[in-house]
Amino acid sequence: MAELRPHVIDLNQGRLSSGGSFATSDADVVDIFRTHLPAWLATADSPAVVFWAHGGLVGESSGLGIAVDQLRWWKANGVYPIFFVWESGLMDALGALLGRQEEARAATRDLFDWTTDPLVEATARTLGGPKVWTAMKTSAENASREDGGATRAATLLKELCDGQPALRLHAVGHSAGAIFHRFFLTRTRSLGVPAFRTLSLLAPAITVDGFAQGLMPLVGDHVESVRMYTMHREYERADVCQAGGVDFYHKSLLYLIHHALEPEPGTPILGLEDSVTTDPATREFFRDDRAPDEAKIVWSVGPDSASTSHGGFDNDAATMDSLVRHIRGVSEPTAPYPGARRLSADDRPEERPSPRRSGPGRQALCIGINDYPAPNALSGCVADAEEWAEVLRGLGFGVTMLLDRDATRDNMLKEIQKIVSSTEAGDVGVVQYSGHGTQVADTDGDEMRDHLDEALVPVDFGTGAFIIDDDLRSIFATIPTGANLTCFMDCCFSETNTRLLRVEQPRLGTTGATARFLPRSAELDQQHRRFREDPRNSGLGGGSAISPLTHVSFSACRDFQVALESNGHGHFTAAAAGLLRDPEALSWTNVEFFQRILGTIEPGQTPTLEPSGDSRRVLAAYATAADLGLPQQLRRSANGRARSRGASTTPA
């Protein structure tokens, strides 16, 4: 305790703590900045101070434990650490809130991952999880109010810096520590404290909006350099949240915050790869060609970070050594961190090992093409894909996107195959497409009725590179039994572009909206034939027999109609994706969802569902809570909600 006293500022609800295991008085804070820190600075060649905020996600004892683990190591590397410790314990609070520790012991991970986790999210939200999380964020903000403990520290820091102009300031925030530093750095700026050389965020739990509004404006003014250390999405999904030694949520805490703890479900969280890569402002801020000393993302697992858990960054040798190198501007730390495993300098993020597959998953591919060669350009397809991606991420899907020039035939087929080949029984996959649809001459004789194949139109279609129904049938035939693949096709003739049927010639829309229809022509047919005759391009389609339907397909229109777009979106997407935002949506069957689409879509086209009477639940793994042996408390909760909506509780 005596060794910690010069380095710890203990807070309770934002104010200096007078109780708990470690109390901090105003006199203690004064001693840090007027006695202990000046004495250390007098012996330092290049004085540096780091302000560490562990974030309040762990209890006070764990926060003090972090300080104990790091204290001597920081000083051995020429950095004076000051730790803000919160008296809290969000994980334990959530575990108690869910009330299921003992029942969880018997469950295995693969049963949890995509079945109980949504129930945990729903239960956490219903029982007040957002209030607990909001209280945590309020504590972070309170610390930098006029009477807050962080404000007192900032005031004394300003006084110290006035007499120590060579002092270099740095900040590190782990998880909700990013929220803490949003307010602390804003306060130091308002008090005239010199600019911080670096801000490092480890698995930040701050929202994308909170970062954009609170921290991004400080960069270039009060913060010289920002680095974010966070995991690639597959590691986030392989992580586990524990309380009392029991696994209660089988993804990282950031996903629980994203889905259940923020007031608005699906709120983008900065530390999630999906949020960073889809938000335009954040993506631009961390763009790859920006100077590393301005803004950079350090992905784990990689040479500079090897953590595979949300809580592991502050004890990961690769991460901690990278922090010291960045803060001190050295090639190697004086004292390497004695923590968890480290990677060699030869390891690269793109060569990171895939985590062990431990349970069912949800993966989606969203395709949107506006930028067709003139005169075939569209305007709403990219917005459609982005809308679907946002909705699906909110439902727990990992999303891959192909937009405009990236949506070539080869790329589209590769990513569709990847979705299908990676699925196992119990998995849920989605393929969404917004772009032109067309018809091309049948080249293998399996379209006996009209001798035409329905086709998706990649951006490079000018070479004859269409994706015909035969191609998709060939891929979808490999979907394993028990897996759920659902297609959302917002293009012309989409009723049958994943199957082998034809009815009659198309009728064009008359509403004044733009049709997603690429007219068939003799030239396109000729290019298509040449393309298919090339042995390098003809391997996917084939077979004249109509194979059984192995997936669920929602399409924008009948196979003799065109799909329409107006007001920046396809009519089908505006209806279907909008409906999936309903919290009740995943309790509907496919038929119920389809009926709602019919009742919502603007006139001019008629969506379809295949199989037409599919009574399985929308985007659900094909098993029920009872089948998977969920804890009795959550099983009652899930079935009770289903009964209250009049939904079936039989196997989906």
Side-chain angles (χ1 to χ4, degrees):
M1 290 296 187
E3 189 175 3
L4 288 178
R5 187 74 56 195
H7 299 276
V8 171
I9 300 175
D10 200 17
L11 303 172
N12 185 358
Q13 300 299 312
R15 297 186 177 184
L16 297 177
S17 174
S18 59
S21 302
F22 190 100
T24 297
S25 67
D26 186 74
D28 292 328
V29 182
V30 170
D31 283 345
I32 289 175
F33 289 96
R34 292 182 180 173
T35 303
H36 304 299
L37 181 50
W40 183 83
L41 293 176
T43 66
D45 294 332
S46 179
V49 176
V50 63
F51 291 86
W52 182 284
H54 70 75
L57 303 183
V58 296
E60 180 191 23
S61 60
S62 296
L64 293 171
I66 292 168
V68 169
D69 291 340
Q70 296 184 8
L71 174 55
R72 295 181 182 179
W73 174 80
W74 279 114
K75 295 175 77 172
N77 282 288
V79 182
Y80 191 96
I82 296 177
F83 301 93
F84 289 107
V85 173
W86 302 24
E87 293 183 0
S88 61
L90 176 66
M91 302 308 295
D92 291 334
L94 288 174
L97 194 70
L98 293 167
R100 51 188 295 275
Q101 288 91 332
E102 292 303 319
E103 293 177 300
R105 293 182 189 277
T108 59
R109 176 183 171 113
D110 61 329
L111 301 183
F112 270 90
D113 211 26
W114 292 109
T115 307
T116 62
D117 278 0
L119 297 182
V120 170
E121 293 159 4
T123 303
R125 180 166 292 279
T126 300
L127 297 181
K131 292 183 179 179
V132 176
W133 178 239
T134 298
M136 296 293 302
K137 294 193 293 183
T138 300
S139 292
E141 184 175 5
N142 286 345
S144 293
R145 294 187 183 275
E146 289 296 332
D147 58 350
T151 295
R152 181 60 171 147
T155 302
L156 292 166
L157 176 63
K158 170 63 166 63
E159 175 187 294
L160 177 66
C161 288
D162 287 345
Q164 295 273 357
L167 182 60
R168 294 170 178 253
L169 306 179
H170 307 271
V172 179
H174 185 190
S175 192
I179 302 172
F180 184 96
H181 278 315
R182 170 188 177 178
F183 301 106
F184 177 64
L185 294 177
T186 299
R187 173 59 73 179
T188 58
R189 180 176 182 268
S190 70
L191 292 174
V193 174
F196 279 64
R197 298 300 180 94
T198 70
L199 168 63
S200 301
L201 305 176
L202 314 182
I206 191 172
T207 66
V208 168
D209 283 347
F211 177 72
Q213 296 169 14
L215 287 173
M216 204 181 290
L218 299 178
V219 179
D221 175 19
H222 192 57
V223 174
E224 295 181 10
S225 172
V226 174
R227 282 196 178 185
M228 176 169 69
Y229 295 76
T230 198
M231 291 187 288
H232 280 289
R233 63 172 63 90
E234 60 263 41
Y235 293 100
E236 297 283 357
R237 293 178 187 134
D239 197 5
V240 175
C241 292
Q242 288 189 334
V246 177
D247 299 349
F248 73 91
Y249 185 71
H250 292 70
K251 287 185 286 295
S252 84
L253 178 65
L254 295 186
Y255 273 114
L256 187 61
I257 295 169
H258 170 71
H259 289 301
L261 300 187
E262 281 291 329
E264 182 67 27
T267 297
I269 303 300
L270 183 67
L272 289 176
E273 181 177 4
D274 292 338
S275 298
V276 175
T277 56
T278 57
D279 179 72
T282 308
R283 187 172 62 238
E284 170 65 18
F285 182 81
F286 286 112
R287 68 184 186 273
D288 291 340
D289 63 347
R290 188 163 184 171
D293 57 352
E294 293 178 345
K296 179 181 179 180
I297 298 178
V298 178
W299 294 107
S300 186
V301 169
D304 292 326
S305 186
S307 180
T308 57
S309 69
H310 176 79
F313 283 89
D314 58 8
N315 192 41
D316 172 61
T319 302
M320 298 301 292
D321 287 350
S322 176
L323 283 176
V324 162
R325 289 196 300 270
H326 183 48
I327 288 172
R328 299 294 292 162
V330 296
S331 58
E332 288 298 330
T334 302
Y337 191 77
R341 67 184 179 90
R342 64 180 64 246
L343 299 179
S344 72
D346 294 331
D347 286 314
R348 302 174 184 170
E350 61 268 26
E351 296 172 352
R352 63 190 185 274
S354 297
R356 178 180 62 85
R357 182 180 178 85
S358 52
R362 292 186 171 191
Q363 294 295 320
L365 171 64
C366 295
I367 305 168
I369 311 173
N370 289 338
D371 195 19
Y372 289 103
N376 298 302
L378 294 170
S379 61
C381 297
V382 170
D384 282 358
E386 291 172 341
E387 171 79 1
W388 279 106
E390 180 182 347
V391 169
L392 291 168
R393 288 190 183 100
L395 297 174
F397 283 80
V399 178
T400 299
M401 300 186 72
L402 290 176
L403 304 178
D404 283 337
R405 64 181 181 181
D406 293 328
T408 63
R409 181 181 188 269
D410 285 348
N411 286 346
M412 288 171 62
L413 288 175
K414 180 181 70 174
E415 294 300 334
I416 293 171
Q417 287 176 311
K418 187 183 297 184
I419 290 284
V420 172
S421 64
S422 65
T423 59
E424 300 175 3
D427 287 358
V428 183
V430 168
V431 174
Q432 175 270 325
Y433 171 78
S434 289
H436 276 305
T438 193
Q439 299 163 311
V440 293
D442 173 30
T443 61
D444 61 5
D446 62 2
E447 295 283 2
M448 295 175 286
R449 183 164 185 167
D450 62 2
H451 309 293
L452 295 173
D453 281 314
E454 283 69 55
L456 307 182
V457 183
V459 71
D460 58 342
F461 74 93
T463 63
F466 296 98
I467 295 177
I468 62 174
D469 47 18
D470 299 32
D471 298 330
L472 296 178
R473 180 191 62 179
S474 178
I475 297 174
F476 293 166
T478 65
I479 299 169
T481 301
N484 175 350
L485 181 73
T486 299
C487 297
F488 297 100
M489 298 292 185
D490 198 345
C491 61
C492 297
F493 316 121
S494 51
E495 180 182 10
T496 63
N497 60 17
T498 61
R499 303 182 64 212
L500 300 178
L501 285 174
R502 278 293 301 146
V503 182
E504 56 185 276
Q505 291 301 311
R507 293 198 296 264
L508 298 181
T510 58
T511 64
T514 301
R516 294 178 172 178
F517 167 58
L518 184 71
R520 182 185 172 215
S521 68
E523 181 182 3
L524 285 181
D525 277 349
Q526 186 177 23
Q527 291 169 333
H528 168 61
R529 285 193 178 95
R530 284 200 298 265
F531 185 89
R532 303 299 292 195
E533 288 169 358
D534 187 328
R536 295 171 297 179
N537 303 324
S538 59
L540 278 175
S544 59
I546 299 178
S547 61
L549 189 68
T550 54
H551 61 284
V552 177
S553 183
F554 293 91
S555 59
C557 60
R558 299 293 305 278
D559 60 355
F560 53 83
Q561 292 178 322
V562 294
L564 304 175
E565 66 171 40
S566 60
N567 300 318
H569 277 293
H571 293 186
F572 172 74
T573 290
L579 285 167
L580 280 180
R581 293 184 181 276
D582 190 319
E584 304 292 311
L586 297 190
S587 70
W588 304 334
T589 65
N590 285 317
V591 170
E592 291 170 335
F593 179 48
F594 174 63
Q595 290 169 342
R596 285 172 168 83
I597 294 174
L598 291 178
T600 305
I601 196 166
E602 296 183 35
Q605 63 193 76
T606 305
T608 65
L609 165 66
E610 292 291 339
S612 59
D614 197 291
S615 61
R616 294 169 292 187
R617 285 184 294 119
V618 175
L619 302 180
Y622 294 154
T624 62
D627 293 333
L628 295 178
L630 297 188
Q632 193 67 30
Q633 174 187 351
L634 293 181
R635 188 186 309 171
R636 287 195 300 268
S637 176
N639 291 341
R641 287 195 299 274
R643 284 193 296 272
S644 70
R645 293 188 290 262
S648 170
T649 57
T650 57

